[in-house]
Amino acid sequence: MRDLRLPDAVVVGGGVIGCACALKLAEGGLNVTLVERDAIASHASGNAYGGLYASFGPGIPGPTLPVALRSIELHRELDPQLQDETGIDIGLRQAPSIDLALTQEAMIELFDRSAWWAAQGFDFEMLDQRHLREIEPGIAPDAVGGVLHNSHYEIDSYRFALALATAFERQGGQIRAGAVNGLSRDGDRVTGVALQSGEELAAGTVVIASGPWAGEGEIDGLPDLPVRPVKGEIIRLRYPEADISHRIAVARSYVARKPDGLVWIGTTDEEAGFDETATVAARDRIMAGALAIAPGLESAEIVEHTACLRPTSVDGLPVVGAVADGAIVANGMGSKGILLSHAVAEFVREIVTGEEASVAMPAEYDVGRFL
Ligand SMILES: Cc1cc2nc3c(=O)[nH]c(=O)nc-3n(C[C@H](O)[C@H](O)[C@H](O)COP(=O)(O)OP(=O)(O)OC[C@H]3O[C@@H](n4cnc5c(N)ncnc54)[C@H](O)[C@@H]3O)c2cc1C
């Protein structure tokens, strides 16, 4: 008989990837313990913008496109259930967003990209200057046009991660506070994890979802993974004027009204090690990008400024799969972890239990490429 005190699986990391994997395994009837050293979603997963977009990003066009499309369907199917089960308002909504062109060259580039969006069946419309100004009166006077993406969705990433963790506990899963600093082994087989406190947790399978720290050599016995932190900052503004309503983006700069009325502006991509401080330099860069989009924001009040780290692999693609007998990694989600979480959890479940994922994991995601 199975010893109910011993977990079938230990998941390391309580970000969105660890929580989604833990829930999926617990739903499959496994006895699962999740170990988090800080707090659930206290890093990137709790501070992310929460955009669910399949029309751009690393691996798109490319291997991530089918996974991203399926991921949006999974959010639409599963998030309302999660919300009902946990009572946590995840805020899933269709959130049309605009790619803005500030120059004629940028507009031509958008037209060029639109051929690919049309071929994929994305729901979008090209906007001329007049149409643009009708729907977004607050945009810069020199904006020449844009694209309105109707197939974009958003969620509240912090509440989403909390809902995953809450649903996991309701399935009988255990959340433990602790820092994992080693893998226990019996010969080549991983048999559990060692905590900094000296305690060992035995488990049939260990899932390592420790975000950018997985590449740091913090977990003894975990092979070196080429995953690094890419710092991103976001500023929340109070801006009561009604002249901005959509998310409006120019390259990596964006301005977006969130459901609570605040305007979020972002973002940065910086290689700064594990530094998670919000800096004046990033604030100035983000403000400059936002004011080029919507000059009226000059009068806005800064309410909050956050910084966190995207776990990013050297080729920009997720890193999923077995690193040893009994140990699996789920990492490298970069700027798409909130979007990809449900699909990645299915990939991990397939590896552990054999139950087929609803979209095939691309071979390009396999951790084997780095081992
Ligand atoms: C500014 C910004 C905006 C973003 N916007 C979006 C977006 O719009 N859409 C989208 O899809 N994605 C977005 N992302 C990306 C997304 O946030 C990440 O891909 C995702 O959160 C990664 O989740 P994770 O669980 O892998 O890592 P993390 O959230 O970093 O979680 C890892 C967890 O593991 C824990 N941990 C680490 N080591 C140990 C250990 N040894 N023992 C125990 N616990 C450990 C950490 O404390 C942490 O809680 C954004 C990211 C940033 C920075």
Side-chain angles (χ1 to χ4, degrees):
M1 207 173 86
R2 198 175 75 189
D3 183 344
L4 292 177
R5 291 162 308 167
L6 281 184
D8 297 316
V10 165
V11 175
V12 184
V16 78
I17 299 301
C19 291
C21 291
L23 173 60
K24 198 59 82 194
L25 294 176
E27 283 172 347
L30 271 66
N31 178 10
V32 184
T33 295
L34 182 150
V35 185
E36 165 58 48
R37 66 175 173 201
D38 294 331
I40 296 295
S42 52
H43 295 280
S45 299
N47 290 297
Y49 178 82
L52 309 177
Y53 315 138
S55 56
F56 66 88
I60 300 174
T64 294
L65 178 65
V67 187
L69 289 171
R70 178 65 189 138
S71 294
I72 292 177
E73 286 173 6
L74 286 171
H75 278 282
R76 294 180 66 193
E77 281 167 33
L78 301 178
D79 294 357
Q81 290 171 26
L82 260 183
Q83 191 161 305
D84 286 350
E85 272 170 44
T86 63
I88 297 171
D89 180 4
I90 295 169
L92 174 73
R93 64 192 180 109
Q94 193 165 9
S97 78
I98 295 172
D99 281 343
L100 189 68
L102 293 174
T103 62
Q104 286 298 346
E105 291 73 32
M107 194 65 211
I108 291 167
E109 215 173 286
L110 287 180
F111 270 113
D112 289 347
R113 293 174 69 194
S114 70
W116 182 77
W117 291 322
Q120 303 308 318
F122 285 119
D123 178 3
F124 70 95
E125 40 193 301
M126 303 305 291
L127 302 174
D128 61 19
Q129 205 176 37
R130 186 185 53 80
H131 193 178
L132 190 58
R133 213 161 291 289
E134 268 167 22
I135 56 175
E136 288 294 358
I139 53 154
D142 47 353
V144 295
V147 179
L148 179 66
H149 295 276
N150 292 311
S151 56
H152 286 180
Y153 285 78
E154 287 184 10
I155 52 175
D156 181 314
S157 63
Y158 180 63
R159 291 188 191 172
F160 171 58
L162 281 191
L164 291 169
T166 304
F168 166 64
E169 286 188 302
R170 287 188 177 201
Q171 285 286 338
Q174 303 271 324
I175 298 182
R176 293 275 310 261
V180 169
N181 65 2
L183 299 178
S184 323
R185 284 179 187 264
D186 180 2
D188 284 344
R189 179 163 177 81
V190 171
T191 53
V193 295
L195 304 185
Q196 217 164 41
S197 60
E199 193 185 346
E200 298 218 353
L201 287 179
T205 302
V206 175
V207 177
I208 301 140
S210 55
W213 296 274
E216 258 303 83
E218 282 184 13
I219 300 181
D220 246 14
L222 179 68
D224 279 347
L225 294 177
V227 174
R228 68 191 192 287
V230 175
K231 186 178 181 185
E233 304 194 27
I234 294 179
I235 299 171
R236 281 88 162 155
L237 304 174
R238 187 166 290 116
Y239 179 65
E241 302 304 320
D243 58 2
I244 293 170
S245 49
H246 296 80
R247 178 183 190 271
I248 311 164
V250 175
R252 294 295 281 156
S253 295
Y254 60 79
V255 162
R257 179 80 66 185
K258 285 287 192 174
D260 63 2
L262 293 181
V263 170
W264 288 32
I265 62 174
T267 183
T268 51
D269 297 273
E270 199 189 340
E271 309 256 345
F274 288 87
D275 172 24
E276 288 178 283
T277 46
T279 66
V280 171
R283 183 197 64 194
D284 291 351
R285 277 202 301 279
I286 292 170
M287 282 309 313
L291 292 177
I293 295 171
L297 289 174
E298 216 168 27
S299 63
E301 173 196 350
I302 296 181
V303 175
E304 197 183 359
H305 179 180
T306 55
C308 52
L309 307 172
R310 304 175 186 92
T312 307
S313 69
V314 282
D315 59 13
L317 294 176
V319 183
V320 183
V323 284
D325 190 12
I328 294 162
V329 294
N331 208 305
M333 303 308 149
S335 56
K336 293 276 182 207
I338 309 298
L339 169 66
L340 300 179
S341 52
H342 286 306
V344 168
E346 286 191 356
F347 300 155
V348 168
R349 181 191 59 193
E350 180 169 336
I351 298 167
V352 177
T353 70
E355 185 179 340
E356 209 177 315
S358 63
V359 60
M361 184 174 99
E364 291 88 341
Y365 285 13
D366 196 316
V367 65
R369 71 195 189 277
F370 297 128
L371 294 179

